[in-house]
Amino acid sequence: MIPISAVQLGPEVEQQVLEVLRSGMIAQGPKVAELERRFAELVGVRHAVAVNNGTTALVAALTVLDIGPGDEVLTTPFTFVATLNAILEVGATARFADIGADDYALDPVAAAAGLTDRTVAVMPVHLYGQPADLGKLAPLAAERGLHLVEDAAQAHGARFDGRPVGGVGVGCFSFYATKNITTGEGGVVTTDDDGLADRLRLLRNQGMRARYGYEVAGHNWRLTVLAAAVALPQLDRYAEQVARRKRNAARLSARLAGLAGLVVPSELAGREHVWHQYTVQLTGAVGRDELAAQLAERGVGSGVYYPRLVHDYPCYAEHPRVVVGETPVAAAVAARCLSLPVHAALSDAEVDQVADAVAEVLA
Ligand SMILES: *Cc1c(COP(=O)(O)O)cnc(C)c1O
């Protein structure tokens, strides 16, 4: 079976991890700061603050922006549940605006219409590795005096007009096992703001600046040095890995574009897509679930990201801080989307096998 994602960690990772294990210091160590330096470089910002997962990155960002009860955060309903849970965890209210049909991310016009006098932040998600429309969302947030919190969990190194995502607003990244860069569990917050970075570092470590010198009630949001050791060699190879994903995406599209009943994804003008997922839409007689089942029979894995809108579950239906709007584009896409393998471990022959299988089922 060709898997929808694959973790490929080479001997460099093994060596770095062994080094940490043998040092006897397995919680914290200099590799965490090294990872932060390297990641800040990737995002083109002054600060990257490593945390224990991507959900924590979102919670931490909202927390240091003083977002909480009574505040509304405007976001997309077509995302992983962590986006919503982070808003709820800080006590804020989540409101939703529709997505664009091309980028599957928060639509600037819908976002503008969704703002209320309680909105304090706009939170786009750079879904599948393609940047949301930061060219319009960033000015929208700035004009209204709103924070821009970027859920960049799927978009390490993606760029809008040459600017890396996560560096326009406050960036939140994940290093979960399936993400483009992984530590199993891990995350990072990126910002150019010295004050925010300082508060993030304080809160991450129990509110402690000097040993036993507590300045605020904090948390344990720390990423382990073992995790940092897993990430560092991946940064060395990341450009090459993204290039491979791009090649795979282009190879899939060369074969699949133009097939009846199928919409293939594209990299929009001015945006650099890092192809976390290659997601098609099924618009004809063969539905998404049918295609997924037929692909499985042909040894091709696939994934549905995401089968329902993020708030469309009983646990949120009666939630007093979940405000649902009309989001017809998101609803349509959730019913029709299917992600195909595009990861860097695929050979050309495997990419062709994926494309051939899709073409055969649709024929
Ligand atoms: C993975 C992901 C997260 C959360 O990351 P974790 O590291 O799993 O906590 C948040 N938002 C989106 C869009 C994601 O894909």
Side-chain angles (χ1 to χ4, degrees):
M1 191 80 161
I2 299 176
I4 182 71
S5 72
V7 177
Q8 249 191 334
L9 302 175
E12 306 86 358
V13 170
E14 291 174 14
Q15 194 202 318
Q16 289 249 17
V17 169
L18 259 182
E19 211 180 287
V20 172
L21 287 176
R22 287 171 178 162
S23 77
M25 301 200 315
I26 60 170
Q28 292 301 302
K31 286 187 201 297
V32 176
E34 191 184 338
L35 172 62
E36 292 181 332
R37 264 196 313 276
R38 297 283 307 278
F39 202 84
E41 226 172 80
L42 178 73
V43 178
V45 289
R46 290 167 57 77
H47 306 282
V49 180
V51 294
N52 53 5
N53 61 62
T55 309
T56 298
L58 292 166
V59 170
L62 295 171
T63 302
V64 296
L65 292 170
D66 290 319
I67 295 171
D71 297 331
E72 281 186 11
V73 178
L74 187 76
T75 191
T76 162
F78 193 56
T79 182
F80 181 57
V81 72
T83 315
L84 170 56
N85 283 341
I87 296 168
L88 297 179
E89 184 165 336
V90 300
T93 295
R95 190 179 280 275
F96 299 96
D98 211 352
I99 60 171
D102 294 332
D103 62 7
Y104 306 124
L106 201 54
D107 172 55
V109 174
L115 300 178
T116 74
D117 54 11
R118 299 197 146 194
T119 311
V120 298
V122 177
M123 194 156 148
V125 178
H126 307 303
L127 201 72
Y128 307 143
Q130 170 130 268
D133 191 352
L134 291 175
K136 296 207 176 92
L137 291 168
L140 173 70
E143 279 161 23
R144 309 284 189 110
L146 308 173
H147 298 295
L148 182 70
V149 179
E150 300 175 64
D151 183 338
Q154 303 185 1
H156 318 68
R159 289 164 185 264
F160 188 98
D161 275 347
R163 268 188 91 178
V165 304
V168 179
V170 178
C172 304
F173 294 84
S174 167
F175 294 145
Y176 181 66
T178 56
K179 303 290 157 83
N180 281 20
I181 297 172
T182 179
T183 61
E185 299 278 7
V188 60
V189 184
T190 52
T191 179
D192 263 331
D193 187 309
D194 298 350
L196 284 185
D198 184 62
R199 275 195 75 201
L200 284 165
R201 294 205 160 93
L202 262 184
L203 289 180
R204 171 176 68 177
N205 194 24
Q206 308 287 8
M208 183 167 75
R209 198 177 298 278
R211 197 170 169 82
Y212 300 123
Y214 305 112
E215 292 189 5
V216 288
H219 309 264
N220 178 354
W221 286 339
R222 297 183 302 262
L223 183 78
T224 69
V225 65
L226 274 169
V230 174
L232 278 168
Q234 294 175 65
L235 283 171
D236 295 332
R237 298 171 52 212
Y238 190 55
E240 180 195 315
Q241 297 278 308
V242 170
R244 184 75 222 185
R245 285 175 180 271
K246 263 180 225 231
R247 260 189 59 189
N248 292 345
R251 199 171 175 98
L252 287 169
S253 290
R255 181 85 166 80
L256 299 179
L259 288 185
L262 194 76
V263 177
V264 300
S266 58
E267 182 178 60
L268 299 177
R271 306 192 207 188
E272 195 178 333
H273 198 318
V274 293
W275 298 102
H276 172 60
Q277 298 293 352
Y278 180 96
T279 303
V280 298
Q281 282 191 69
L282 281 298
T283 55
V286 178
R288 177 261 306 289
D289 297 333
E290 171 70 12
L291 177 58
Q294 295 277 344
L295 289 178
E297 276 180 22
R298 289 163 174 79
V300 174
S302 62
V304 179
Y305 313 109
Y306 295 91
R308 293 162 74 160
L309 299 185
V310 71
H311 52 66
D312 184 23
Y313 293 84
C315 59
Y316 301 117
E318 304 292 316
H319 198 295
R321 291 186 285 112
V322 174
V323 185
V324 173
E326 287 294 304
T327 57
V329 179
V333 173
R336 303 194 300 220
C337 63
L338 189 71
S339 300
L340 305 173
V342 73
H343 56 81
L346 296 170
S347 66
D348 286 352
E350 287 173 319
V351 174
D352 291 345
Q353 191 187 327
V354 172
D356 288 345
V358 172
E360 189 184 306
V361 175
L362 290 182

